[in-house]
Amino acid sequence: MSKSNISVGLLGWGTVGTGVSKILSGRSDFISQHAGVELRLAKIAKRTLPAFRDGVDIPDGCLTTDPSEVVDNPEIDIVVELIGGVTDSRNLIGKAIRNGKHVVTANKALLAEHGRELFRLADENRVSLNFEASTAGGIPIIKTLRESFAANRIQSLYGIINGTCNFILSQMHEGDVDFEVVLKEAQAKGYAEADPTLDIEGHDAAQKLLLLTALAYGLNAPSDHLHVEGITKITQQDIQYARELGYVIKLLAIGKLNSADRVEIRVHPTLLPTQSLLANVGGAFNAVCVIGDAVGPTLFYGQGAGEMPTASAVVADIIDAGKAISGERGARVSHAWQTDAKPDVSLCPIDDVETRYYVRLVVQDKPGVLAQISSVLGAHRISIASVIQKERYETDETASLVIVTHIATEKNMQFAMKEIDALNVVTGESQLIRIEEEVAF
């Protein structure tokens, strides 16, 4: 049955929820005129009621501390989950779906862990589960992969999808400052949490990448099968040496279909050529490069977080669900995980990945050192592309040795690094960073 006036309920009223309520309450006439649906903010559930919220105009009686007044309310058509976490949000979304309500969420952690289950439940109840705001904020990458690129076999996608890490690495590159200094600046500016572990260790980007690769390849990859490295070990030395070699270091989320029809899914610091557009994505901005067999290379760029950019993506999903309810089109089932179909690709273990590598070593400054290292690399079928010996440290008579390899397998590289680290001539902690040369932008 079609319906002209759509009622919306929010679970959570933090930064993003506030932005959503601003748009729904302040732009209802604009949305009705341009999108053809009439949306009414009916209820907001928040754990504790605020005494005052500046700049937000909501209907009287809209606020409640009881989430059941949203998920069990027969008058509410669309439930928007913005509380975060996994357990409570999973239970509330499941209940809303069983009650026949369309659901919009920005919860990447929930979908990465329980997406298959929730999408199957949405299928069974013939409602949509939309999640545009879960990845890259205001950038419409979810809808693009799900709809616009549906006729494409995705060859690869490369994403700068964590604004905190991108801000830190950009500042390290531009200001010649160390990681810890920039992290404190990011926290002061609100780009990083008081506990930044989820961001700086790469887990936030990994959760987002799981959603993107599920859409692109139909893979329901377990999170523990995803290779994840953060940026905490990136030093100012690495930033400077990368610059000298013609690269910029970014935390890159990679989904790539290789020649054996296996998909690489990995998140780690990456050296990108300085001339590439992705290398020049600065500050807290996000960007995603998607290469399809029909469409070719495409690039999406914008703000990956923040109140209004993320709220914009949430409201776009609300409008889509509203159109389905109003009868403009049938209720769309928004698959990210094809619950029945088996993908025609498989997951490529990190050991089988082939790429180039940047290696930084601290070595004794004496003859024969490079020969020993070269011998180990050669024994593992790793060819050296270039070598740079940096300044000598007079206090302990050591020097930095920077090596760039030709393409090698990850397994061989890891075995070689263990042997190199065990050499008597190698001191200090070594650094290994992968290089991506063939990013389309």
Side-chain angles (χ1 to χ4, degrees):
M1 182 181 294
S2 64
K3 188 174 181 180
S4 59
N5 191 291
I6 312 299
S7 294
V8 179
L10 304 186
L11 297 172
W13 205 39
T15 300
V16 176
T18 300
V20 171
S21 64
K22 287 178 181 177
I23 295 174
L24 292 179
S25 297
R27 310 198 75 187
S28 58
D29 291 342
F30 179 87
I31 292 171
S32 176
Q33 179 181 354
H34 287 80
V37 291
E38 296 183 17
L39 301 174
R40 179 178 67 91
L41 182 58
K43 213 72 177 175
I44 300 172
K46 182 174 169 55
R47 288 188 179 93
T48 56
L49 296 183
F52 176 72
R53 180 150 296 194
D54 187 29
V56 183
D57 182 21
I58 59 173
D60 292 337
C62 190
L63 285 171
T64 179
T65 58
D66 184 0
S68 67
E69 292 189 31
V70 174
V71 297
D72 291 329
N73 189 333
E75 295 184 359
I76 289 178
D77 306 293
I78 302 169
V79 171
V80 181
E81 183 274 310
L82 299 170
I83 60 176
V86 174
T87 302
D88 288 346
S89 57
R90 175 192 181 191
N91 292 336
L92 289 168
I93 286 177
K95 194 172 187 181
I97 290 173
R98 291 185 185 94
N99 287 337
K101 302 183 188 302
H102 296 259
V103 173
V104 173
T105 181
N107 195 331
K108 55 189 174 292
L110 172 68
L111 292 178
E113 188 170 342
H114 298 290
R116 187 178 182 86
E117 164 201 334
L118 292 173
F119 274 91
R120 180 182 290 112
L121 187 62
D123 286 354
E124 293 169 355
N125 287 273
R126 298 301 300 165
V127 296
S128 60
L129 174 56
N130 296 337
F131 56 104
E132 184 66 65
S134 64
T135 301
I139 302 173
I141 189 62
I142 299 296
K143 185 174 291 188
T144 298
L145 287 171
R146 188 179 59 193
E147 298 178 12
S148 301
F149 290 174
N152 282 258
R153 185 173 177 84
I154 303 301
Q155 305 298 317
S156 57
L157 60 87
Y158 302 91
I160 296 173
I161 50 179
N162 183 272
T164 300
C165 289
N166 201 49
F167 174 82
I168 291 172
L169 292 174
S170 296
Q171 291 297 101
M172 289 178 70
H173 181 79
E174 296 167 8
D176 293 335
V177 286
D178 292 327
F179 172 84
E180 292 295 340
V181 174
V182 185
L183 174 58
K184 291 180 180 178
E185 180 185 352
Q187 289 171 322
K189 290 179 178 291
Y191 294 140
E193 301 289 343
D195 179 2
T197 304
L198 189 68
D199 292 316
I200 63 177
E201 294 294 352
H203 301 300
D204 173 82
Q207 291 170 348
K208 296 171 182 175
L209 180 60
L210 284 173
L211 302 186
L212 295 179
T213 51
L215 287 166
Y217 303 108
L219 276 176
N220 182 31
S223 58
D224 59 358
H225 284 51
L226 177 65
H227 182 80
V228 183
E229 295 176 24
I231 65 170
T232 56
K233 294 182 180 180
I234 301 298
T235 68
Q236 188 54 228
Q237 275 186 316
D238 296 316
I239 297 289
Q240 293 175 6
Y241 297 162
R243 184 188 295 125
E244 291 180 28
L245 292 164
Y247 297 101
V248 173
I249 300 176
K250 294 291 185 182
L251 182 73
L252 205 64
I254 300 171
K256 182 191 295 187
L257 184 64
N258 64 25
S259 58
D261 278 346
R262 296 200 297 174
V263 179
E264 302 171 15
I265 308 178
R266 46 193 169 100
V267 174
H268 49 69
T270 308
L271 268 67
L272 295 174
T274 53
Q275 69 270 21
S276 71
L277 291 181
L278 280 181
N280 290 280
V281 175
F285 278 79
N286 282 196
V288 182
C289 169
V290 181
I291 304 173
D293 62 348
V295 72
T298 59
L299 182 67
F300 302 84
Y301 168 85
Q303 296 187 58
E307 177 184 339
M308 298 312 290
T310 308
S312 171
V314 171
V315 175
D317 275 347
I318 295 172
I319 290 171
D320 273 351
K323 287 180 177 179
I325 295 168
S326 67
E328 179 172 314
R329 52 184 171 182
R332 187 182 66 216
V333 178
S334 305
H335 286 299
W337 290 259
Q338 298 292 339
T339 54
D340 297 321
K342 292 184 178 180
D344 59 353
V345 296
S346 59
L347 189 63
C348 179
I350 185 64
D351 281 350
D352 294 342
V353 167
E354 296 183 346
T355 188
R356 300 180 68 198
Y357 296 87
Y358 158 100
V359 179
R360 175 177 55 80
L361 304 167
V362 179
V363 299
Q364 295 178 11
D365 189 15
K366 63 181 184 181
V369 170
L370 181 58
Q372 292 185 52
I373 294 169
S374 299
S375 177
V376 173
L377 292 173
H380 290 281
R381 295 183 293 177
I382 300 165
S383 176
I384 295 175
S386 65
V387 178
I388 303 174
Q389 181 169 322
K390 305 305 294 184
E391 71 278 356
R392 175 175 176 170
Y393 303 106
E394 298 295 341
T395 55
D396 58 2
E397 296 185 342
T398 62
S400 287
L401 192 66
V402 177
I403 298 171
V404 175
T405 76
H406 288 295
I407 292 176
T409 63
E410 178 80 16
K411 179 171 61 178
N412 289 352
M413 197 70 209
Q414 294 296 340
F415 281 139
M417 289 304 298
K418 286 182 181 179
E419 291 187 26
I420 289 171
D421 286 339
L423 294 174
N424 291 331
V425 295
V426 175
T427 64
E429 187 174 2
S430 61
Q431 178 69 284
L432 179 71
I433 307 176
R434 296 162 194 85
I435 302 172
E436 288 289 333
E437 296 278 10
E438 298 182 359
V439 177
F441 289 99

